[in-house]
């Protein structure tokens, strides 16, 4: 077993790591924790919390671990606090959201580079990761600009939905103790995931998972819905109206002409949810998950209230299924959703 303690690291390794680090961070690490406290006017407690919320805790506060960009970032967030724009809970939530998302995004993007380099140059995994050390720093500025562009587009889209849904909509306000947002919420779950992926190597498993996620995101986006998250072998999605939810669900369940067909089962309901931390919560999310577990491969199930909302549409056909007892929810009579038959 190799050790990663400082005494086991060669000067060449440290020099290479330092060059990569400085290229990505845009400058050298020259400030200690005390320097940040002095240079920003923020409390030591807040500065330590900031790094912990980002997922980068301060483990040695006497070491020069911070850059000029780190100091400027703290100054900016401190100015918002001084202006009363953020209370303590909002500070923590916003900074944690950055840390959680950036950590997952960086990992996702680096692994994409590693896979690309492995394919292009026929490298094993370790060699591909070493090659990534040479390639990725040169892309850091481009990736940062692309991230800002994508974030601004997503923020604009979200604000647009807010304006449409809530602008002057007095009748849309929830009653007290009711979850605030009306949404179609559903899951698409790969059928027999464990059996289908048993024995796959890392590249084959990666290709399988990427194919499923990419297709699911494309189908949901084109139908007008949004992916909330992937959960192992499943995708959680939402839509702003019940018809869009139905289109997302039917599109996901439909056979797809690919090199490797991945059958999924889908369930969705129209209900109320709480949106927090980039996720959605509430009893209807749980109901959608349980209904998905009852679905057959390449089929869509909904609950009776959702079926009643869709029944008036000529696009769809609905077939009640056998009632089933579901732990924690009691007896459920799922309804299968189909596209209506139209003679050509």
């Amino acid at each position: 077993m190799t050790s990663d303690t400082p005494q086991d690291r060669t000067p060449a390794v440290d020099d290479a790591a330092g060059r990569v680090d400085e290229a990505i961070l845009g400058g050298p690490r020259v400030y200690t924790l005390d320097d940040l406290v002095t240079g920003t006017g923020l409390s030591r407690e807040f500065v330590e919390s900031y790094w912990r919320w980002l997922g980068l805790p301060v483990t040695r506060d006497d070491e020069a671990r911070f850059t000029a960009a780190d100091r400027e970032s703290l100054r900016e967030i401190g100015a918002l606090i001084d202006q009363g724009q953020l209370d303590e809970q909002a500070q923590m939530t916003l900074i944690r959201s950055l840390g959680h998302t950036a950590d997952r995004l960086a990992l996702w993007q680096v692994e994409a580079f590693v896979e690309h380099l492995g394919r292009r140059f026929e490298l094993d995994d370790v060699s591909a990761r070493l090659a990534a050390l040479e390639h990725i720093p040169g892309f850091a500025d481009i990736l940062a600009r692309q991230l800002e562009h994508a974030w601004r587009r997503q923020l604009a889209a979200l604000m647009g939905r807010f304006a449409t849904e809530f602008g002057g909509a007095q009748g849309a306000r929830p009653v007290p103790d009711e979850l605030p947002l009306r949404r179609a919420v559903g899951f698409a779950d790969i059928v027999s995931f464990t059996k289908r992926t048993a024995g796959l190597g890392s590249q084959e498993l990666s290709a399988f998972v990427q194919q499923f996620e990419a297709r699911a995101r494309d189908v949901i986006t084109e139908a007008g819905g949004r992916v909330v998250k992937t959960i192992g072998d499943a995708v959680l999605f939402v839509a702003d109206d019940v018809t869009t939810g139905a289109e997302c669900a039917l599109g996901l369940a439909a056979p797809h002409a690919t090199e490797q067909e991945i059958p999924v089962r889908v369930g969705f309901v129209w209900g109320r949810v709480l949106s927090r931390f980039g996720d959605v919560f509430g009893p209807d999310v749980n109901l959608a998950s349980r209904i998905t577990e009852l679905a057959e491969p390449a089929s869509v199930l909904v609950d009776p209230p959702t079926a009643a909302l869709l029944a008036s549409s000529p696009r769809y056909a609905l077939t009640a299924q056998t009632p089933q007892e579901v732990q924690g929810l009691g007896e459920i009579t799922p309804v299968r959703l189909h596209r209506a038959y139209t003679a050509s």
Side-chain angles (χ1 to χ4, degrees), residues 206-222:
S206 174
F208 183 90
V209 173
Q210 285 189 41
Q211 180 184 335
F212 165 67
E213 182 168 335
R215 179 178 175 251
R217 287 182 179 275
D218 288 347
V219 168
I220 292 165
T221 300
E222 289 175 9

Side-chain angles (χ1 to χ4, degrees), residues 42 73-85:
L42 298 167
S73 179
L74 276 162
R75 283 175 173 170
E76 286 185 343
I77 201 74
L80 286 179
I81 295 167
D82 289 342
Q83 295 163 13
Q85 300 291 323

Side-chain angles (χ1 to χ4, degrees), residues 75-117:
R75 283 175 173 170
E76 286 185 343
I77 201 74
L80 286 179
I81 295 167
D82 289 342
Q83 295 163 13
Q85 300 291 323
L86 296 175
D87 63 20
E88 185 176 353
Q89 183 64 39
Q91 297 163 27
M92 182 180 68
T93 299
L94 288 176
I95 296 167
R96 280 191 188 278
S97 73
L98 291 170
H100 175 78
T101 304
D103 173 55
R104 188 165 187 263
L105 177 62
L107 178 61
W108 192 345
Q109 292 180 332
V110 167
E111 294 295 348
F113 274 106
V114 169
E115 289 185 347
H116 163 71
L117 292 167

Side-chain angles (χ1 to χ4, degrees), residues 9-322:
R9 296 169 63 94
T10 67
V13 170
D14 285 336
D15 287 346
R19 287 195 302 271
V20 170
D21 190 71
E22 190 168 325
I24 292 172
L25 295 180
R29 300 180 187 234
V30 294
Y31 299 114
T32 65
L33 179 65
D34 286 339
D35 292 332
L36 288 187
V37 172
T38 302
T40 62
L42 298 167
S43 71
R44 185 184 184 90
E45 180 184 7
F46 177 80
V47 173
E48 289 181 333
S49 294
Y50 174 89
W51 290 104
R52 186 174 65 253
W53 294 337
L54 278 182
L56 302 166
V58 179
T59 55
R60 296 187 59 181
D61 58 11
D62 59 341
E63 215 175 359
R65 301 287 297 168
F66 307 101
T67 69
D70 294 330
R71 186 177 63 177
E72 184 59 29
S73 179
L74 276 162
R75 283 175 173 170
E76 286 185 343
I77 201 74
L80 286 179
I81 295 167
D82 289 342
Q83 295 163 13
Q85 300 291 323
L86 296 175
D87 63 20
E88 185 176 353
Q89 183 64 39
Q91 297 163 27
M92 182 180 68
T93 299
L94 288 176
I95 296 167
R96 280 191 188 278
S97 73
L98 291 170
H100 175 78
T101 304
D103 173 55
R104 188 165 187 263
L105 177 62
L107 178 61
W108 192 345
Q109 292 180 332
V110 167
E111 294 295 348
F113 274 106
V114 169
E115 289 185 347
H116 163 71
L117 292 167
R119 289 191 303 268
R120 181 176 180 183
F121 299 108
E122 298 183 350
L123 302 175
D124 61 60
D125 188 73
V126 172
S127 298
R129 291 177 189 279
L130 290 172
L133 282 173
E134 298 296 325
H135 285 75
I136 289 176
F139 290 98
D141 288 346
I142 295 173
L143 292 175
R145 290 193 295 271
Q146 289 293 312
L147 171 59
E148 181 179 358
H149 172 73
W151 176 82
R152 287 184 180 278
R153 294 295 302 186
Q154 291 288 357
L155 183 62
L158 178 60
M159 294 297 95
R161 292 196 297 271
F162 271 27
T164 300
E165 183 173 2
F166 304 113
Q170 297 298 321
R173 295 181 182 276
V175 300
D177 298 325
E178 190 174 47
L179 296 182
L181 301 176
R182 294 185 65 82
R183 294 288 186 267
V185 55
F187 288 85
D189 179 26
I190 299 175
V191 177
S192 303
F193 176 78
T194 302
K195 180 179 179 181
R196 291 177 184 279
T197 57
L200 293 182
S202 59
Q203 290 189 358
E204 291 84 0
L205 179 59
S206 174
F208 183 90
V209 173
Q210 285 189 41
Q211 180 184 335
F212 165 67
E213 182 168 335
R215 179 178 175 251
R217 287 182 179 275
D218 288 347
V219 168
I220 292 165
T221 300
E222 289 175 9
R226 299 181 297 284
V227 174
V228 176
K229 62 181 178 179
T230 56
I231 315 163
D233 57 348
V235 168
L236 169 60
F237 67 91
V238 295
D240 293 336
D241 61 81
V242 69
T243 301
T244 300
E247 291 301 313
C248 290
L250 290 168
L252 289 164
H256 189 65
T258 62
E259 294 180 3
Q260 182 181 29
E261 177 59 27
I262 303 176
V264 299
R265 54 188 180 182
V266 187
F268 91 96
V269 301
W270 177 253
R272 286 193 175 274
V273 301
L274 174 70
S275 176
R276 291 291 187 276
F277 319 117
D279 205 343
V280 290
F281 303 90
D284 288 317
V285 179
N286 186 38
L287 175 59
S289 175
R290 294 303 182 89
I291 285 179
T292 303
E293 294 171 1
L294 304 177
E296 296 294 326
S299 70
V300 177
L301 292 182
V302 300
D303 66 332
T306 304
L309 293 173
L310 294 168
S312 61
S313 173
R315 300 185 193 181
Y316 310 120
L318 297 141
T319 307
Q321 307 295 292
T322 303

